[in-house]
mmCIF file of all heavy atoms in Angstrom:
data_model
loop_
_atom_site.group_PDB
_atom_site.id
_atom_site.type_symbol
_atom_site.label_atom_id
_atom_site.label_comp_id
_atom_site.label_asym_id
_atom_site.label_seq_id
_atom_site.Cartn_x
_atom_site.Cartn_y
_atom_site.Cartn_z
ATOM 1 N N THR T 342 20.441 -23.718 -5.902
ATOM 2 C CA THR T 342 19.815 -24.392 -7.102
ATOM 3 C C THR T 342 20.873 -24.582 -8.247
ATOM 4 O O THR T 342 21.059 -25.682 -8.680
ATOM 5 C CB THR T 342 18.681 -23.627 -7.575
ATOM 6 O OG1 THR T 342 17.668 -23.593 -6.529
ATOM 7 C CG2 THR T 342 18.069 -24.261 -8.791
ATOM 8 N N PRO T 343 21.594 -23.507 -8.663
ATOM 9 C CA PRO T 343 22.592 -23.786 -9.647
ATOM 10 C C PRO T 343 23.749 -24.593 -9.134
ATOM 11 O O PRO T 343 24.405 -25.440 -9.858
ATOM 12 C CB PRO T 343 23.072 -22.366 -10.051
ATOM 13 C CG PRO T 343 22.598 -21.483 -8.971
ATOM 14 C CD PRO T 343 21.455 -22.114 -8.306
ATOM 15 N N LEU T 344 24.090 -24.505 -7.839
ATOM 16 C CA LEU T 344 25.183 -25.285 -7.247
ATOM 17 C C LEU T 344 24.811 -26.823 -7.353
ATOM 18 O O LEU T 344 25.707 -27.669 -7.594
ATOM 19 C CB LEU T 344 25.433 -24.954 -5.760
ATOM 20 C CG LEU T 344 26.387 -23.833 -5.555
ATOM 21 C CD1 LEU T 344 26.441 -23.477 -4.044
ATOM 22 C CD2 LEU T 344 27.747 -24.130 -6.125
ATOM 23 N N ASN T 345 23.575 -27.108 -7.211
ATOM 24 C CA ASN T 345 23.123 -28.499 -7.281
ATOM 25 C C ASN T 345 23.471 -29.109 -8.720
ATOM 26 O O ASN T 345 24.009 -30.178 -8.829
ATOM 27 C CB ASN T 345 21.648 -28.563 -7.070
ATOM 28 C CG ASN T 345 21.067 -29.943 -7.058
ATOM 29 O OD1 ASN T 345 21.447 -30.837 -6.174
ATOM 30 N ND2 ASN T 345 20.325 -30.321 -8.068
ATOM 31 N N SER T 346 23.148 -28.247 -9.714
ATOM 32 C CA SER T 346 23.422 -28.694 -11.038
ATOM 33 C C SER T 346 24.971 -28.731 -11.283
ATOM 34 O O SER T 346 25.417 -29.751 -11.951
ATOM 35 C CB SER T 346 22.734 -27.739 -12.045
ATOM 36 O OG SER T 346 21.348 -27.792 -11.988
ATOM 37 N N ILE T 347 25.665 -27.707 -10.858
ATOM 38 C CA ILE T 347 27.119 -27.703 -11.093
ATOM 39 C C ILE T 347 27.795 -28.884 -10.445
ATOM 40 O O ILE T 347 28.540 -29.642 -11.054
ATOM 41 C CB ILE T 347 27.634 -26.425 -10.575
ATOM 42 C CG1 ILE T 347 27.193 -25.205 -11.329
ATOM 43 C CG2 ILE T 347 29.198 -26.369 -10.534
ATOM 44 C CD1 ILE T 347 27.503 -23.870 -10.839
ATOM 45 N N LEU T 348 27.521 -29.067 -9.098
ATOM 46 C CA LEU T 348 28.157 -30.135 -8.411
ATOM 47 C C LEU T 348 27.728 -31.562 -8.936
ATOM 48 O O LEU T 348 28.515 -32.516 -9.012
ATOM 49 C CB LEU T 348 27.921 -30.031 -6.916
ATOM 50 C CG LEU T 348 28.521 -28.806 -6.142
ATOM 51 C CD1 LEU T 348 28.093 -28.685 -4.765
ATOM 52 C CD2 LEU T 348 30.085 -28.821 -6.353
ATOM 53 N N GLY T 349 26.424 -31.686 -9.183
ATOM 54 C CA GLY T 349 25.901 -32.915 -9.671
ATOM 55 C C GLY T 349 26.555 -33.380 -10.944
ATOM 56 O O GLY T 349 27.085 -34.500 -11.143
ATOM 57 N N TRP T 350 26.574 -32.449 -11.922
ATOM 58 C CA TRP T 350 27.174 -32.844 -13.271
ATOM 59 C C TRP T 350 28.701 -32.947 -13.132
ATOM 60 O O TRP T 350 29.344 -33.762 -13.759
ATOM 61 C CB TRP T 350 26.847 -31.787 -14.277
ATOM 62 C CG TRP T 350 25.428 -31.891 -14.803
ATOM 63 C CD1 TRP T 350 24.375 -31.091 -14.578
ATOM 64 C CD2 TRP T 350 24.973 -33.008 -15.654
ATOM 65 N NE1 TRP T 350 23.252 -31.572 -15.197
ATOM 66 C CE2 TRP T 350 23.610 -32.698 -15.847
ATOM 67 C CE3 TRP T 350 25.607 -34.109 -16.271
ATOM 68 C CZ2 TRP T 350 22.731 -33.557 -16.695
ATOM 69 C CZ3 TRP T 350 24.753 -34.938 -17.031
ATOM 70 C CH2 TRP T 350 23.457 -34.732 -17.310
ATOM 71 N N ALA T 351 29.355 -32.180 -12.246
ATOM 72 C CA ALA T 351 30.749 -32.303 -12.040
ATOM 73 C C ALA T 351 31.079 -33.653 -11.498
ATOM 74 O O ALA T 351 32.054 -34.311 -11.909
ATOM 75 C CB ALA T 351 31.268 -31.194 -11.030
ATOM 76 N N ASN T 352 30.296 -34.207 -10.608
ATOM 77 C CA ASN T 352 30.520 -35.524 -10.010
ATOM 78 C C ASN T 352 30.355 -36.615 -11.104
ATOM 79 O O ASN T 352 31.145 -37.593 -11.152
ATOM 80 C CB ASN T 352 29.594 -35.839 -8.806
ATOM 81 C CG ASN T 352 29.905 -35.050 -7.628
ATOM 82 O OD1 ASN T 352 31.033 -34.583 -7.403
ATOM 83 N ND2 ASN T 352 28.871 -34.714 -6.841
ATOM 84 N N LEU T 353 29.370 -36.364 -11.902
ATOM 85 C CA LEU T 353 29.115 -37.339 -13.053
ATOM 86 C C LEU T 353 30.332 -37.306 -14.025
ATOM 87 O O LEU T 353 30.788 -38.366 -14.516
ATOM 88 C CB LEU T 353 27.771 -37.059 -13.767
ATOM 89 C CG LEU T 353 26.604 -37.290 -12.939
ATOM 90 C CD1 LEU T 353 25.310 -36.861 -13.748
ATOM 91 C CD2 LEU T 353 26.480 -38.849 -12.526
ATOM 92 N N LEU T 354 30.753 -36.103 -14.311
ATOM 93 C CA LEU T 354 31.942 -35.988 -15.209
ATOM 94 C C LEU T 354 33.183 -36.636 -14.589
ATOM 95 O O LEU T 354 33.984 -37.346 -15.269
ATOM 96 C CB LEU T 354 32.250 -34.544 -15.475
ATOM 97 C CG LEU T 354 31.337 -33.803 -16.402
ATOM 98 C CD1 LEU T 354 31.656 -32.371 -16.523
ATOM 99 C CD2 LEU T 354 31.411 -34.415 -17.872
ATOM 100 N N GLN T 355 33.282 -36.433 -13.249
ATOM 101 C CA GLN T 355 34.511 -37.092 -12.560
ATOM 102 C C GLN T 355 34.430 -38.591 -12.557
ATOM 103 O O GLN T 355 35.473 -39.247 -12.607
ATOM 104 C CB GLN T 355 34.466 -36.569 -11.079
ATOM 105 C CG GLN T 355 35.762 -36.817 -10.394
ATOM 106 C CD GLN T 355 35.783 -36.192 -8.977
ATOM 107 O OE1 GLN T 355 34.717 -35.910 -8.455
ATOM 108 N NE2 GLN T 355 36.975 -35.943 -8.429
ATOM 109 N N ALA T 356 33.170 -39.125 -12.481
ATOM 110 C CA ALA T 356 33.105 -40.535 -12.562
ATOM 111 C C ALA T 356 33.425 -41.148 -13.908
ATOM 112 O O ALA T 356 33.736 -42.283 -13.979
ATOM 113 C CB ALA T 356 31.643 -40.935 -12.171
ATOM 114 N N GLY T 357 33.415 -40.321 -14.979
ATOM 115 C CA GLY T 357 33.819 -40.829 -16.314
ATOM 116 C C GLY T 357 32.818 -41.773 -16.967
ATOM 117 O O GLY T 357 33.293 -42.548 -17.799
ATOM 118 N N LYS T 358 31.571 -41.701 -16.687
ATOM 119 C CA LYS T 358 30.614 -42.677 -17.152
ATOM 120 C C LYS T 358 29.625 -42.019 -18.164
ATOM 121 O O LYS T 358 28.565 -42.606 -18.433
ATOM 122 C CB LYS T 358 29.849 -43.380 -16.049
ATOM 123 C CG LYS T 358 30.705 -44.168 -15.060
ATOM 124 C CD LYS T 358 29.904 -44.781 -14.007
ATOM 125 C CE LYS T 358 30.778 -45.584 -12.935
ATOM 126 N NZ LYS T 358 29.956 -46.210 -11.855
ATOM 127 N N LEU T 359 29.999 -40.934 -18.643
ATOM 128 C CA LEU T 359 29.062 -40.235 -19.590
ATOM 129 C C LEU T 359 29.571 -40.371 -21.057
ATOM 130 O O LEU T 359 30.778 -40.292 -21.229
ATOM 131 C CB LEU T 359 29.017 -38.686 -19.259
ATOM 132 C CG LEU T 359 28.502 -38.381 -17.798
ATOM 133 C CD1 LEU T 359 28.532 -36.840 -17.610
ATOM 134 C CD2 LEU T 359 27.034 -38.926 -17.638
ATOM 135 N N ASP T 360 28.639 -40.468 -21.941
ATOM 136 C CA ASP T 360 28.963 -40.544 -23.347
ATOM 137 C C ASP T 360 29.311 -39.138 -23.794
ATOM 138 O O ASP T 360 29.022 -38.190 -23.159
ATOM 139 C CB ASP T 360 27.878 -41.143 -24.222
ATOM 140 C CG ASP T 360 26.611 -40.500 -23.967
ATOM 141 O OD1 ASP T 360 26.522 -39.184 -24.094
ATOM 142 O OD2 ASP T 360 25.448 -41.065 -23.809
ATOM 143 N N PRO T 361 30.006 -38.988 -24.910
ATOM 144 C CA PRO T 361 30.422 -37.603 -25.402
ATOM 145 C C PRO T 361 29.220 -36.628 -25.494
ATOM 146 O O PRO T 361 29.350 -35.448 -25.143
ATOM 147 C CB PRO T 361 30.972 -37.932 -26.822
ATOM 148 C CG PRO T 361 31.510 -39.318 -26.676
ATOM 149 C CD PRO T 361 30.502 -40.054 -25.806
ATOM 150 N N GLN T 362 28.067 -37.107 -25.966
ATOM 151 C CA GLN T 362 26.911 -36.168 -25.969
ATOM 152 C C GLN T 362 26.476 -35.645 -24.544
ATOM 153 O O GLN T 362 26.316 -34.484 -24.450
ATOM 154 C CB GLN T 362 25.737 -36.857 -26.729
ATOM 155 C CG GLN T 362 24.586 -35.955 -26.917
ATOM 156 C CD GLN T 362 23.398 -36.687 -27.675
ATOM 157 O OE1 GLN T 362 23.561 -37.823 -27.936
ATOM 158 N NE2 GLN T 362 22.444 -35.915 -27.953
ATOM 159 N N LYS T 363 26.501 -36.560 -23.679
ATOM 160 C CA LYS T 363 26.183 -36.117 -22.269
ATOM 161 C C LYS T 363 27.300 -35.234 -21.663
ATOM 162 O O LYS T 363 26.993 -34.361 -20.849
ATOM 163 C CB LYS T 363 25.878 -37.327 -21.395
ATOM 164 C CG LYS T 363 24.563 -38.063 -21.597
ATOM 165 C CD LYS T 363 23.439 -37.072 -21.151
ATOM 166 C CE LYS T 363 22.075 -37.729 -21.272
ATOM 167 N NZ LYS T 363 21.025 -36.828 -20.865
ATOM 168 N N VAL T 364 28.524 -35.533 -22.014
ATOM 169 C CA VAL T 364 29.648 -34.715 -21.564
ATOM 170 C C VAL T 364 29.401 -33.298 -21.944
ATOM 171 O O VAL T 364 29.575 -32.286 -21.212
ATOM 172 C CB VAL T 364 30.951 -35.262 -22.049
ATOM 173 C CG1 VAL T 364 32.042 -34.234 -21.706
ATOM 174 C CG2 VAL T 364 31.265 -36.579 -21.255
ATOM 175 N N GLU T 365 29.104 -33.113 -23.252
ATOM 176 C CA GLU T 365 28.844 -31.787 -23.743
ATOM 177 C C GLU T 365 27.674 -31.093 -23.049
ATOM 178 O O GLU T 365 27.782 -29.938 -22.696
ATOM 179 C CB GLU T 365 28.639 -31.790 -25.261
ATOM 180 C CG GLU T 365 28.483 -30.440 -25.903
ATOM 181 C CD GLU T 365 28.285 -30.553 -27.401
ATOM 182 O OE1 GLU T 365 28.453 -31.710 -27.961
ATOM 183 O OE2 GLU T 365 28.072 -29.512 -28.032
ATOM 184 N N PHE T 366 26.579 -31.849 -22.825
ATOM 185 C CA PHE T 366 25.474 -31.350 -22.208
ATOM 186 C C PHE T 366 25.795 -30.932 -20.718
ATOM 187 O O PHE T 366 25.321 -29.880 -20.215
ATOM 188 C CB PHE T 366 24.384 -32.465 -22.122
ATOM 189 C CG PHE T 366 23.054 -31.966 -21.483
ATOM 190 C CD1 PHE T 366 22.167 -31.154 -22.114
ATOM 191 C CD2 PHE T 366 22.871 -32.354 -20.131
ATOM 192 C CE1 PHE T 366 20.988 -30.769 -21.452
ATOM 193 C CE2 PHE T 366 21.715 -31.893 -19.480
ATOM 194 C CZ PHE T 366 20.763 -31.162 -20.098
ATOM 195 N N ALA T 367 26.579 -31.855 -20.107
ATOM 196 C CA ALA T 367 26.977 -31.467 -18.766
ATOM 197 C C ALA T 367 27.893 -30.213 -18.642
ATOM 198 O O ALA T 367 27.638 -29.380 -17.793
ATOM 199 C CB ALA T 367 27.844 -32.621 -18.159
ATOM 200 N N ILE T 368 28.762 -30.052 -19.530
ATOM 201 C CA ILE T 368 29.603 -28.797 -19.561
ATOM 202 C C ILE T 368 28.700 -27.550 -19.779
ATOM 203 O O ILE T 368 28.971 -26.573 -19.084
ATOM 204 C CB ILE T 368 30.651 -28.951 -20.582
ATOM 205 C CG1 ILE T 368 31.718 -30.051 -20.143
ATOM 206 C CG2 ILE T 368 31.421 -27.682 -20.800
ATOM 207 C CD1 ILE T 368 32.782 -30.422 -21.207
ATOM 208 N N ASP T 369 27.774 -27.721 -20.801
ATOM 209 C CA ASP T 369 26.912 -26.505 -20.996
ATOM 210 C C ASP T 369 26.096 -26.201 -19.787
ATOM 211 O O ASP T 369 25.900 -25.018 -19.484
ATOM 212 C CB ASP T 369 25.974 -26.841 -22.133
ATOM 213 C CG ASP T 369 26.749 -26.898 -23.535
ATOM 214 O OD1 ASP T 369 27.867 -26.408 -23.613
ATOM 215 O OD2 ASP T 369 26.216 -27.428 -24.434
ATOM 216 N N THR T 370 25.635 -27.215 -19.029
ATOM 217 C CA THR T 370 24.742 -26.971 -17.880
ATOM 218 C C THR T 370 25.596 -26.305 -16.824
ATOM 219 O O THR T 370 25.208 -25.351 -16.165
ATOM 220 C CB THR T 370 24.131 -28.372 -17.365
ATOM 221 O OG1 THR T 370 23.439 -28.874 -18.379
ATOM 222 C CG2 THR T 370 23.292 -28.060 -16.124
ATOM 223 N N ILE T 371 26.828 -26.800 -16.539
ATOM 224 C CA ILE T 371 27.707 -26.263 -15.600
ATOM 225 C C ILE T 371 27.913 -24.768 -15.871
ATOM 226 O O ILE T 371 27.902 -23.889 -15.031
ATOM 227 C CB ILE T 371 28.980 -27.086 -15.419
ATOM 228 C CG1 ILE T 371 28.724 -28.399 -14.815
ATOM 229 C CG2 ILE T 371 29.990 -26.315 -14.582
ATOM 230 C CD1 ILE T 371 29.883 -29.404 -14.872
ATOM 231 N N GLU T 372 28.298 -24.473 -17.192
ATOM 232 C CA GLU T 372 28.691 -23.159 -17.551
ATOM 233 C C GLU T 372 27.423 -22.248 -17.375
ATOM 234 O O GLU T 372 27.500 -21.155 -16.829
ATOM 235 C CB GLU T 372 29.030 -23.065 -18.991
ATOM 236 C CG GLU T 372 29.455 -21.653 -19.486
ATOM 237 C CD GLU T 372 29.833 -21.671 -20.915
ATOM 238 O OE1 GLU T 372 29.524 -22.597 -21.679
ATOM 239 O OE2 GLU T 372 30.552 -20.634 -21.408
ATOM 240 N N ARG T 373 26.192 -22.674 -17.805
ATOM 241 C CA ARG T 373 24.964 -21.921 -17.725
ATOM 242 C C ARG T 373 24.712 -21.568 -16.219
ATOM 243 O O ARG T 373 24.394 -20.379 -15.877
ATOM 244 C CB ARG T 373 23.851 -22.636 -18.358
ATOM 245 C CG ARG T 373 22.534 -21.776 -18.331
ATOM 246 C CD ARG T 373 21.449 -22.528 -19.108
ATOM 247 N NE ARG T 373 21.004 -23.746 -18.554
ATOM 248 C CZ ARG T 373 21.376 -24.957 -19.006
ATOM 249 N NH1 ARG T 373 22.149 -25.052 -20.206
ATOM 250 N NH2 ARG T 373 20.922 -26.091 -18.501
ATOM 251 N N ASN T 374 24.734 -22.534 -15.357
ATOM 252 C CA ASN T 374 24.473 -22.321 -13.921
ATOM 253 C C ASN T 374 25.560 -21.449 -13.260
ATOM 254 O O ASN T 374 25.305 -20.652 -12.376
ATOM 255 C CB ASN T 374 24.301 -23.630 -13.211
ATOM 256 C CG ASN T 374 22.949 -24.244 -13.506
ATOM 257 O OD1 ASN T 374 21.956 -23.927 -12.851
ATOM 258 N ND2 ASN T 374 22.947 -25.202 -14.463
#
Side-chain angles (χ1 to χ4, degrees):
T342 298
L344 275 177
N345 182 69
S346 297
I347 293 172
L348 294 176
W350 284 108
N352 290 333
L353 292 175
L354 287 173
Q355 191 175 24
K358 297 180 180 180
L359 299 178
D360 57 47
Q362 185 177 0
K363 283 295 184 181
V364 168
E365 183 178 355
F366 179 81
I368 294 173
D369 290 341
T370 302
I371 291 173
E372 181 182 20
R373 183 173 64 254
N374 284 275

